[in-house]
Structures are given as C-alpha cells and as structure tokens.
C-alpha cells in the first residue's frame, strides 16, 4: 500500500512538472562486487510470510548520520523503502520501487521463503551494518496470478564513520520489467518524506542506463523515468556524503544561536542570544563564498545571488565551531 502511494505521488509530481534543483547531497558511484547472501544474519521477519504492508525496524549499532542528523534505526517500510527514524522529517533510500512480498504467500501454509535479515561486519570504528531482503516476490504477480515466480535479492549497507550508504543487487528474475516498474526503477535518495502520505521534499533519482546512471531531480524540461532496466547481480550503487573539506556538519548550534530556514530562497536568519560570533558560507566544493559578523540579536544574510544547491554555514564563537547545512532553492 505504501509504495502505491509513493508511485501515485511521483506521477502527480511529474504531471505538475515540478521544478527543483538537481544537487544531490551524495556523490553516487557504481561498482561491481560479488553478491554474498547474509545466510548467518539475524532474521527479523520470523517464519511467517510477510506482506507488502509489513514494517521492520533494525537498530544501528554505531553512530550514523544522514545529512548531519543522527539516525538510530532503519525502518523498512513494506521491505521496499529504508527510512530513517527521524519522524516527520525522515529521509529514505528506496530499495525497490515496487510492492514486494514474501514468496511464501503463494503457498497455502504461508511459511516464509523470503527472509529479511541483518548482520554487522568489521571492527569497532569501521563496522558495516548489512540489511538484506532476500528472495522477495512481487505483490502484483501474486494478486493477478497467485504465483511468485519473479524475485529479487537486495542489500542495504551502512558504513560507520564515513556515513556511506550502498545498495547491493543480487540475483533476480523479472519477466516483464515494465509491468512492475512502469516509471522505470525509481531509486536514489528521498529527503523529508512523510511515510503515511507519500509526500516528500525532494526525490533525487538515478536515471537511464543502470551501469552508468545519471542523477537528477524532477524538472519541467526533463521528466524522470528512473532506470530503464533492473541492475544485474553484483551491481552496487554507493552514496558518499558530500561534505566540504575540513568541515563537519553539526545539528546542535552554538549556545543561544539558531539558523533558519534551512531550505531558503532569498535570506537566512541567524538568531544570536549570546556573544558576538563570525560566520562563513561554504559551497560543496569547500570554497568560502562569504564571511561576516554575527551580532547579538537577529542577523539576516542575503543568499539570493547563490545558485540553487547545498551550502554550509560555519559559525565560530571563541574556540567553538559548528556547521549547519542549508539548501538554496
């Protein structure tokens, strides 16, 4: 049900020719790596076949951030979307843009044939949380023919310290790609999504050839249709956070200081209740675009002349420094 809501929302957005900028907060690269099933991982789906509406919650055993925000859990919505546990401003990585189900639903005993499991590999400080949706079938095939002959295997990897995210694709059988993916395979990164309604701030989407995709968001001149075929076994999409050199993004401002709005068009405001400070505005390449003083009280900074994209406001008072990410629309 959820993925159907998401697809409906995307169709409406495309029909309305939504304009948005294309600067994704991750650098996306493609590599190949032999797919290894998590056969000894912890099974979170139990022994009963799960449905397209099932939800699974997996704790992250180390510090992990998405766009500078701490994430403690990954919520698998319908086993097709990995969502952060940050409430109404959740971010997400679409695992597969189709409603998938446990292949055991096609049998009368409904015993699970599609385990959802996880395991943690590596040493302290460089651990990887690996989450797998194994041998999952398609809801549409089940409802239309009562069978689950088509299947997919996909893993989501989260890296400690670097905050890198990877999607690993394993063996699959999809007899009719267009049947299950009418808009193409919609994968990438979704910012600020409401899981209940499917509404979102931005969908940064991979499109075109699955071996060398381009990254874009929705636009009037180039409606998106996602990837034109399903990735072959061993394909890995790596999402590396874009952070300016020597700059760490903090979510807790200096005492008595607040930056807003973080999604802006003309100006940002810095409220400063304690002590004069300084600021720098830095682009994603690490270049300083402007500097200034933050006086006590309300400070307005003009950003209207900056191109649309992501920037960082670094503030310093005494020997303390913090950085806030802003997005210029």
């Amino acid at each position: 049900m959820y993925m159907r809501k998401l697809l409906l929302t995307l169709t409406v957005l495309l029909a309305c020719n939504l304009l948005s900028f294309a600067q994704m907060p991750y650098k996306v690269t493609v590599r190949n790596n032999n797919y290894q099933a998590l056969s000894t991982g912890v099974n979170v789906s139990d022994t009963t076949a799960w449905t397209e509406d099932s939800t699974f919650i997996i704790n992250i055993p180390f510090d992990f951030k998405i766009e500078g925000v701490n994430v403690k859990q990954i919520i698998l919505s319908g086993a097709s979307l990995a969502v952060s546990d940050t409430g109404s401003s959740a971010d997400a990585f679409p695992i597969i843009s189709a409603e998938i189900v446990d292949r055991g639903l096609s049998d009368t005993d409904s015993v699970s044939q599609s385990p959802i499991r996880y395991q943690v590999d590596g040493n302290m400080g460089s651990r990887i949380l690996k989450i797998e949706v194994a041998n999952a079938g398609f809801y549409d095939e089940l409802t239309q023919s009562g069978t689950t002959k088509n299947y997919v295997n996909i893993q989501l990897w989260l890296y400690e310290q670097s905050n890198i995210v990877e999607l690993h694709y394993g063996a699959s059988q999809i007899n009719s790609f267009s049947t299950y993916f009418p808009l193409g395979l919609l994968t990438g990164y979704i910012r600020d999504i409401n899981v209940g309604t499917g509404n979102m701030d931005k969908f940064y989407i991979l499109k075109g050839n699955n071996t060398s995709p381009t990254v874009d968001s929705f636009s009037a001149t180039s409606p998106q249709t996602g990837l034109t075929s399903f990735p072959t076994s061993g394909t890995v999409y790596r999402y590396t956070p874009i952070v300016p050199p020597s700059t760490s993004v903090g979510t807790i401002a200096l005492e008595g200081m607040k930056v807003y709005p973080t999604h802006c068009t003309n100006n940002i405001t810095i409220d400063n209740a304690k002590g004069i400070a300084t600021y720098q505005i830095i682009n994603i390449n690490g270049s300083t675009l402007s500097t200034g003083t933050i006086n006590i009280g309300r400070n307005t900074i003009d950003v209207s002349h900056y191109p649309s994209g992501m920037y960082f406001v670094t503030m310093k008072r005494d020997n303390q420094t913090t950085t806030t990410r802003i997005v210029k629309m």
Side-chain angles (χ1 to χ4, degrees), residues 105-167:
L105 290 177
S106 60
D107 294 337
T108 56
D109 56 9
S110 291
V111 174
S112 177
Q113 297 179 21
S114 308
I116 296 175
R117 50 202 171 195
Y118 74 91
Q119 69 185 43
V120 180
D121 291 338
N123 299 319
M124 187 79 66
S126 58
R127 290 169 289 182
I128 307 173
L129 172 62
K130 301 177 180 179
I131 303 170
E132 180 177 50
V133 179
N135 191 40
F138 288 86
Y139 173 80
D140 284 343
E141 180 187 353
L142 178 66
T143 56
Q144 292 171 13
S145 65
T147 62
T148 52
K149 295 179 180 179
N150 292 275
Y151 62 88
V152 293
N153 291 271
I154 306 173
Q155 292 179 10
L156 175 75
W157 290 17
L158 307 182
Y159 284 76
E160 186 175 15
Q161 287 194 348
S162 67
N163 300 313
I164 288 172
V165 177
E166 288 183 342
L167 281 176

Side-chain angles (χ1 to χ4, degrees), residues 42 170 176 207 225 259 264 303-304:
V42 178
S176 176
K207 66 176 185 178
T225 54
V259 180
C264 56
V303 295
S304 61

Side-chain angles (χ1 to χ4, degrees), residues 290-313:
S290 66
T291 61
T293 299
I294 307 172
N295 296 308
I296 296 175
R298 180 157 295 177
N299 301 259
T300 301
I301 301 173
D302 181 15
V303 295
S304 61
H305 53 292
Y306 294 154
S308 296
M310 182 167 58
Y311 299 88
F312 300 85
V313 183

